[in-house]
Amino acid sequence: MIQSKIQFLNVTKHFNNNSTGKSSRKDTVLENLSFEVFAEEFVCILGPSGSGKSTILGLVAGFIKPTLGEVLFNSKSVQRPDGSRTLVFQEYALFPWLNILDNVAFGLTTKNHKNNHAKEKALEYLNLVGLSAYKNHSVSQLSGGMKQRVAIARALAVDPEVLLLDEPFGALDTQSRESMQTELLRLLSKTKKTVLFVTHSVDEALKLADRIIVIGAKPGKILIDTTVAVSKPRDFKNLQLSEIRNKILDKLTHPDIFMGSDI
C-alpha cells in the first residue's frame, strides 16, 4: 500500500487584512481544501496569483497554521517547521558571506553535525548537482541557474522526506529553466523524494509532475486534480499530454477562476 505523506483535511486559512487603514477584516486565502500527497509522488500546484499556492507550502512546512481544518504529515498534525519538510524559494536564499560549500553545509551544522562531517556530506550533494568544482566560489560568482542548484543541494543535504519548491525556476531564462527542470528530474530519480512544486507554467507542470492540482483564485479551491500517467522524459506531442494541457488551460482561462481575487 502506498504511504500517504501529506494530507489536507478541510483546510481553511484566513489572514487579517488591515492594509486600507480601516478595521481589520478576514482575508480568506484557502477554503475547505482537501487533498493528499503520497510517498515519492511529484505533485505540481497550478493557479493564478493570489490563489494560495505558496500558502499551501507554508502550511506543509509548518511556518503557518490553518484557521480551520488540519494539515497532516505522516498522519501527524503539522505543528512547527521540521527538517523533514524543506522549502526552496525562487530567490535562492543563499548566504552571500559564505562560500558555496559552506552554504550547502549550513543546514547540516544546525542539525549538530560535526563541521568536518557536514562539509563532507555537503560536498557529496554539490557533486550530485554537478557543482563540486565551485565549492570555494562565492555566491556572486555563480549564474542564476547555478545558485538554484546550490539551493536544491542544500535542501537535499539535510535529507528531507518532502521537498517543497516555490516557483524555484521562475526567475531563470527559458534555456536555464528547461535545463534545471531536466536536472531536477535526474536528482529525484536518485533521491526518491516526495515533491510539492508550485508553478505558474502549465508546460513546466506537464514536464515534471506525476499529478497536477489546479487551484482557483481565492478563496483557493481545487478545480482540477489529475494524474499525468505518461512516462518521463515527456514528448509534448503526446496526445494524452495535449488533452490534459487543453483541459487545464480551459479552466485557467475561464473568467470564473479570477472571481473573488483582489490581488
Side-chain angles (χ1 to χ4, degrees), residues 34-128:
S34 295
F35 68 91
E36 201 167 8
V37 178
F38 297 95
E40 298 185 20
E41 189 175 32
F42 193 130
V43 176
C44 275
I45 301 176
L46 276 168
S49 296
S51 58
K53 301 185 299 298
S54 295
T55 299
I56 289 171
L57 296 188
L59 288 163
V60 177
F63 295 148
I64 54 177
K65 293 184 178 181
T67 307
L68 298 170
E70 193 171 24
V71 179
L72 303 182
F73 173 69
N74 287 338
S75 301
K76 295 181 180 179
S77 180
V78 174
Q79 295 296 321
R80 61 185 64 86
D82 187 286
S84 60
R85 308 176 307 277
T86 304
L87 182 58
V88 177
F89 300 95
Q90 179 177 333
E91 298 82 7
Y92 318 127
L94 301 177
F95 303 121
W97 58 89
L98 297 178
N99 66 24
I100 301 309
L101 181 63
D102 288 340
N103 261 283
V104 177
F106 181 81
L108 295 167
T109 57
T110 61
K111 291 181 70 174
N112 297 319
H113 284 74
K114 290 184 177 180
N115 192 50
N116 288 341
H117 179 260
K119 289 195 174 184
E120 287 175 7
K121 192 168 183 181
L123 189 57
E124 288 180 21
Y125 282 89
L126 271 180
N127 186 57
L128 189 65

Side-chain angles (χ1 to χ4, degrees), residues 42-49 51 53-54 57 165-170 177 181 196-206 208-209 212-215 252:
F42 193 130
V43 176
C44 275
I45 301 176
L46 276 168
S49 296
S51 58
K53 301 185 299 298
S54 295
L57 296 188
L165 298 157
D166 194 357
E167 294 261 19
F169 311 140
R177 184 169 185 156
Q181 291 165 356
L196 200 55
F197 185 108
V198 162
T199 181
H200 280 95
S201 169
V202 177
D203 285 347
E204 183 167 65
L206 288 170
L208 298 175
I212 298 173
I213 296 175
V214 179
I215 306 289
L252 286 174

Side-chain angles (χ1 to χ4, degrees), residues 91-210:
E91 298 82 7
Y92 318 127
L94 301 177
F95 303 121
W97 58 89
L98 297 178
N99 66 24
I100 301 309
L101 181 63
D102 288 340
N103 261 283
V104 177
F106 181 81
L108 295 167
T109 57
T110 61
K111 291 181 70 174
N112 297 319
H113 284 74
K114 290 184 177 180
N115 192 50
N116 288 341
H117 179 260
K119 289 195 174 184
E120 287 175 7
K121 192 168 183 181
L123 189 57
E124 288 180 21
Y125 282 89
L126 271 180
N127 186 57
L128 189 65
V129 299
L131 290 176
S132 57
Y134 295 84
K135 64 181 182 180
N136 295 319
H137 283 55
S138 67
V139 173
S140 63
Q141 291 177 290
L142 302 188
S143 67
M146 293 168 78
K147 290 175 185 176
Q148 199 58 292
R149 284 157 70 186
V150 173
I152 291 172
R154 184 173 65 184
L156 290 173
V158 298
D159 196 24
E161 293 183 52
V162 173
L163 195 59
L164 306 169
L165 298 157
D166 194 357
E167 294 261 19
F169 311 140
L172 303 180
D173 61 80
T174 301
Q175 185 175 353
S176 297
R177 184 169 185 156
E178 290 179 355
S179 176
M180 283 301 302
Q181 291 165 356
T182 300
E183 180 69 8
L184 180 61
L185 289 176
R186 183 187 70 80
L187 292 173
L188 293 175
S189 71
K190 294 178 178 293
T191 59
K192 306 295 183 183
K193 300 298 180 185
T194 304
V195 179
L196 200 55
F197 185 108
V198 162
T199 181
H200 280 95
S201 169
V202 177
D203 285 347
E204 183 167 65
L206 288 170
K207 180 175 181 176
L208 298 175
D210 301 317

